Amino acid sequence: MQTTQTAYAAKRGSATDALNHLRDGDMIIVPTGVGEPPALLTALSEHRRQFRDIKVAQILAVRKYGYFDPETAQHVRHAALFFGGASRAAGQAGWADFIPNYFSEIPVMIERGQMPADVVFSMASPMDANGYFALSLGADYTMAAIARARVIVLEVNPNVPFAHGQCHVHISQVTALVESSEPILEVGLPKIGPVQEAIGKYVADMIDDGSTLQIGYGGIPDAVVIQLTAKRDLGIHTEMIGDGILTLVESGAVTNRKKNFMPGKMLATFALGSKRLYDFMHQNPMLEMHPANYTNDPYIAGQNDNLVAINASLQVDLLGQCGSESIGALPYSGTGGQTDFVRAANRSRGGKAFIVLPSTAKDDTISRIVPTLTPGTHVSTSKNDVNYVVTEYGVAQLRGKTAKQRAEALIAIAHPAFRGELRAAANKLLVF
Ligand code: COA
């Protein structure tokens, strides 16, 4: 029998060699964020003109590789499951594709063949003594793609932590291995201003000791986190683990003891933070990284009592419909796990789903509470799922309320300069 070390040596090669496994028309699945493999994507970019119709599907590309190029989009193009800084301009200009999704369901779309997954390109930890690599930076939908793909290429990097959970791939499943050693990209916490801080305080005041948290993406969720360090016995069941959560662990606020689902353990599906976070994840029994159809499944996450979900939005209408991912028809981000965790918190006994947003944009010239969503807006959280909406002016609790009561509650947390026109618009819409 071939030893795992012999198999490793036989599969090791250069990033350019690994491209020999690609076929025209392939969909390459790449993990979320910093789980993307820089050596492989750089090689693909350099050789992109020799391929036709290759797609690279990913949530939140963090680096703008050479293949982000409108001139060569017929060779290799990006298919965003969520737009970020590297891919947003391409999505808005129309030469990167967009695949709408709930994060929890991407693995299922792959398993059922609705979304192709011909090839996986992923960062991985070094192989352990038993022949396993950890895809700890993004188990997300990549584990589902591993089970289906024709070709699996891992970029092995000693800086990738070997985490616990369902994020392991055996050498026998791997087609080719590429080695790299550059530090994992570090992503800092967003800038937090007084508005974000005020919103964070409203939410933090409504979080009881013993709650289990999902922390979303953006400045406000992180502003909440930094106001929770004095809480006790918090638990973590989330999508993204970042430095905010690490701060809570270090402050002693997180023990995971009160969780009903997997007590004692924190769960996440991808990591985005600093070297401190990546070091913390290494061989740490407190944390498990699992695929998104596990972490984000509302029926699983909602088994925790007092589950608190904190997610950001861009615009909310007077019924409470949340346009969290586009500005009108222009894509900005994606649904991510927002709806998954809003539903999970609604299922949880004592759960609270918070949608947070500043009351205005563009130096107070635009109200983000609006009578109706701007035409073309992608609705992320529906009127039937939304519960707490929070701005720097307070909290509107919407579930169980009539349309008129919702409009009143939302106008009360709009910026005072816009309340008059919102009331007049509500009257016209016959909401009042
Ligand atoms: N009209 C015009 N511009 C608007 C706007 C509006 N209604 N609302 C926001 N903007 C602009 C802001 O001014 C800001 O622009 P700037 O960068 O030039 O200042 C930009 O859009 C982003 O708004 P901001 O409030 O700073 O967003 P954020 O950085 O806190 O991020 C998102 C919020 C986009 C990440 C969040 O809404 C999102 O993607 N949500 C869905 C996904 C999700 O919740 N996932 C959670 C699980 S991880």
Side-chain angles (χ1 to χ4, degrees), residues 32-34 36 58-65 67-68 78 80-93 95-96 185 187 217 272 325 331-334:
T32 311
V34 296
E36 67 190 22
Q58 187 187 7
I59 277 198
L60 198 63
V62 287
R63 296 178 186 85
K64 205 165 174 179
Y65 294 98
Y67 83 84
F68 282 97
H78 192 73
L81 294 151
F82 188 107
F83 289 105
S87 54
R88 185 170 296 128
Q92 294 186 344
W95 52 269
L185 193 72
V187 180
Y217 187 64
L272 200 66
E325 57 188 276
Y332 189 86
S333 53

Side-chain angles (χ1 to χ4, degrees), residues 27-370:
M27 173 81 99
I28 304 175
I29 303 293
V30 168
T32 311
V34 296
E36 67 190 22
L40 285 166
L41 293 177
T42 301
L44 177 68
S45 296
E46 281 166 5
H47 297 276
R48 63 191 184 277
R49 287 179 181 81
Q50 75 191 55
F51 299 105
R52 282 211 72 75
D53 195 28
I54 299 256
K55 278 90 52 187
V56 179
Q58 187 187 7
I59 277 198
L60 198 63
V62 287
R63 296 178 186 85
K64 205 165 174 179
Y65 294 98
Y67 83 84
F68 282 97
D69 174 1
E71 301 300 316
T72 55
Q74 74 278 24
H75 297 290
V76 178
R77 64 195 281 135
H78 192 73
L81 294 151
F82 188 107
F83 289 105
S87 54
R88 185 170 296 128
Q92 294 186 344
W95 52 269
D97 293 326
F98 176 50
I99 305 173
N101 64 84
Y102 295 121
F103 202 164
S104 63
E105 294 187 356
I106 304 173
V108 180
M109 296 193 304
I110 290 174
E111 273 164 28
R112 295 187 183 169
Q114 292 164 333
M115 183 178 142
D118 306 297
V119 176
V120 172
F121 276 5
S122 175
M123 287 276 262
S125 72
M127 185 173 75
D128 75 356
N130 299 308
Y132 284 94
F133 304 86
L135 271 53
S136 50
L137 300 175
D140 46 44
Y141 44 82
T142 310
M143 294 303 291
I146 295 271
R148 233 190 129 85
R150 188 188 76 245
V151 172
I152 294 162
V153 186
L154 300 184
E155 183 170 323
V156 177
N157 183 317
N159 299 307
V160 176
F162 196 100
H164 293 245
Q166 273 176 272
C167 61
H168 303 130
V169 179
H170 193 258
I171 180 73
S172 58
Q173 296 171 276
V174 176
T175 313
L177 294 163
V178 171
E179 291 178 339
S180 70
S181 57
E182 68 178 84
I184 308 305
L185 193 72
E186 298 191 61
V187 180
L189 287 174
K191 263 218 322 265
I192 294 167
V195 167
Q196 283 81 4
E197 215 175 299
I199 297 171
K201 179 153 178 23
Y202 281 118
V203 176
D205 286 350
M206 290 175 70
I207 297 177
D208 298 323
D209 288 345
S211 299
T212 292
L213 310 181
Q214 175 261 336
I215 315 289
Y217 187 64
I220 303 173
D222 277 311
V224 177
V225 167
I226 56 176
Q227 302 189 50
L228 295 177
T229 50
K231 301 276 180 191
R232 285 294 159 254
D233 284 326
L234 297 177
I236 303 294
H237 184 126
T238 196
E239 172 183 302
M240 181 186 96
I241 180 159
D243 279 36
I245 288 175
L246 183 58
T247 308
L248 286 185
V249 173
E250 289 170 342
S251 73
V254 170
T255 63
N256 296 301
R257 283 187 205 127
K258 297 280 167 71
K259 289 175 73 185
N260 311 75
F261 185 78
M262 293 183 65
K265 304 278 183 193
M266 313 203 278
L267 264 67
T269 200
F270 77 91
L272 200 66
S274 66
K275 180 170 185 311
R276 234 160 43 82
L277 174 74
Y278 308 138
D279 290 345
F280 165 83
M281 294 171 67
H282 185 64
Q283 297 283 15
N284 188 342
M286 186 187 193
L287 170 71
E288 293 198 5
M289 301 301 291
H290 284 268
N293 50 329
Y294 192 76
T295 54
N296 286 33
D297 182 334
Y299 298 92
I300 293 179
Q303 288 174 37
N304 290 299
D305 292 345
N306 306 311
L307 178 70
V308 174
I310 307 155
N311 293 291
S313 193
L314 298 173
Q315 195 180 59
V316 176
D317 77 7
L318 292 181
L319 269 177
Q321 304 182 91
C322 305
S324 309
E325 57 188 276
S326 77
I327 295 178
L330 279 185
Y332 189 86
S333 53
T335 309
Q338 179 166 123
T339 316
D340 296 334
F341 278 100
V342 166
R343 288 182 175 159
N346 288 341
R347 292 183 67 79
S348 153
R349 249 177 313 202
K352 292 177 187 146
F354 293 101
I355 294 292
V356 292
L357 76 172
S359 66
T360 61
K362 307 288 170 214
D363 295 327
D364 291 345
T365 57
I366 297 174
S367 176
R368 289 167 66 155
I369 306 282
V370 288

